Amino acid sequence: MHTLRLRDREFEPGDFAVMAVVNRTPDSFYDQGRTYGFEAALAAVDAAVRAGADIVDIGGVKAGPGDTVDAAEEIRRVADLVAAVRAAHPSLVISVDTYRAEVADVVARAGADLLNDTWGGPDPGLAEVAAEHGIGLVCAHAGGVTPRTRPHRIAYDDVVADVIAHTTALAERAVRAGVRPEAILIDPAHDFGKNTRHSLEVGRRLDEMVATGWPVLVAVSNKDFVGETLGGLPVEERHAGTLATLAVSAWQGARVFRVHDAAAAVTALAAVRRLRADAPTL
């Protein structure tokens, strides 16, 4: 398994890294715009750092369907925030959730360390941007769907095999483009181009992704499949299910965990680490 190196941080196999979500969007499914304002977003980053987050993932476009956000507006929302976070937290690993190379180039110049392409590579230029700036890249699986859409009745012969084939192909392409192998992660992208049954299958067989050797990121926090699995719970009642899913993912070898509640994730992952056979003795 690879050691993951981002900025000045090294995450060895067996280490867990918490990635806190901070969205500068007025229509986030989770907080409905609570961190859309610049000062609110910056305060949320500060709080995440205090809570123990290793990485902060800044986004400027809602994942699901909604108002059109062009590249210029996305840059307006995220670039100045990235620069301000870099000034306030020089050693923090900053990730930006974007699928556009144009945006990626701007945020890389502002101080981003990682490009989180949750839509599975619709813009091949993203890898070239990561290589040019010497930063990391998340290679995800979204079933080839158009960003910000929800496909109807999507089907796979074997969703896990499809996820592994796609994400590892993106990772290998990124290496060929010049991205450092130790700065690449793969992400099954639960709920992206998947229904609840697909997301659960990915969760049960996450160890197969881990076995590829690429560090695995999971982004399950408060997602629809968690709510649907527990009988249709609304977003505000998915916290316990999120922590359970994080723990199962960590046990199978996932390395990075994208979450809305960094403090709770830090605590849950510390418990998993103690329970694992390779944890240090007390």
Side-chain angles (χ1 to χ4, degrees):
M1 295 177 68
H2 295 305
T3 294
L4 177 64
R5 295 183 175 90
L6 298 169
R7 198 164 185 80
D8 298 325
R9 297 289 305 276
E10 290 193 357
F11 304 97
E12 300 290 344
D15 290 342
F16 298 143
V18 171
M19 172 189 275
V21 180
V22 176
N23 285 324
R24 281 213 70 197
T25 57
D27 50 359
S28 165
F29 89 97
Y30 177 69
D31 62 23
Q32 298 299 307
R34 182 177 58 83
T35 56
Y36 178 52
F38 184 87
E39 294 301 328
L42 194 56
V45 172
D46 294 340
V49 172
R50 290 194 300 271
D54 303 284
I55 306 167
V56 169
D57 189 45
I58 295 170
V61 182
K62 177 183 177 181
D67 293 341
T68 299
V69 180
D70 62 16
E73 174 60 14
E74 186 180 357
I75 290 168
R76 185 195 70 78
R77 293 179 181 183
V78 299
D80 288 349
L81 179 60
V82 169
V85 172
R86 173 54 62 229
H89 302 283
S91 62
L92 178 66
V93 178
I94 301 174
S95 170
V96 174
D97 180 355
T98 187
Y99 57 88
R100 292 167 166 149
E102 178 182 353
V103 176
D105 183 65
V106 174
V107 298
R109 295 177 191 280
D113 306 297
L114 179 66
L115 303 175
N116 182 16
D117 177 12
T118 57
W119 287 104
D123 186 343
L126 214 67
E128 281 72 17
V129 172
E132 178 184 353
H133 294 282
I135 62 176
L137 180 66
V138 177
C139 299
H141 173 277
V145 304
T146 301
R148 305 191 67 201
T149 63
R150 292 177 177 155
H152 180 61
R153 293 186 177 179
I154 193 165
Y156 303 94
D157 290 335
D158 182 333
V159 65
V160 177
D162 203 273
V163 166
I164 290 172
H166 184 77
T167 57
T168 57
L170 285 178
E172 290 160 3
R173 181 195 177 282
V175 172
R176 292 194 299 271
V179 182
R180 294 179 291 111
E182 65 272 20
I184 295 172
L185 302 96
I186 60 174
D187 173 12
H190 295 73
D191 280 2
F192 281 64
K194 302 170 190 68
N195 59 31
T196 290
R197 183 169 53 194
H198 296 140
S199 292
L200 289 174
E201 183 71 7
V202 167
R204 295 185 190 105
R205 296 169 56 191
L206 199 69
D207 58 335
E208 295 178 37
M209 287 194 74
V210 172
T212 67
W214 295 103
V216 174
L217 179 153
V218 292
V220 300
S221 188
N222 300 297
K223 282 193 171 178
D224 286 348
F225 85 94
V226 174
E228 290 180 6
T229 300
L230 297 175
L233 293 180
V235 172
E236 63 272 15
E237 296 178 22
R238 298 174 185 172
H239 185 64
T242 292
L243 293 179
T245 308
L246 289 179
V248 171
S249 301
W251 192 268
Q252 293 186 80
R255 306 267 295 277
V256 180
F257 304 83
R258 184 179 184 272
V259 297
H260 296 98
D261 186 340
V266 168
T267 301
L269 294 170
V272 174
R273 182 169 175 78
R274 293 290 184 180
L275 284 164
R276 283 178 10 164
D278 59 350
T281 57
L282 295 173

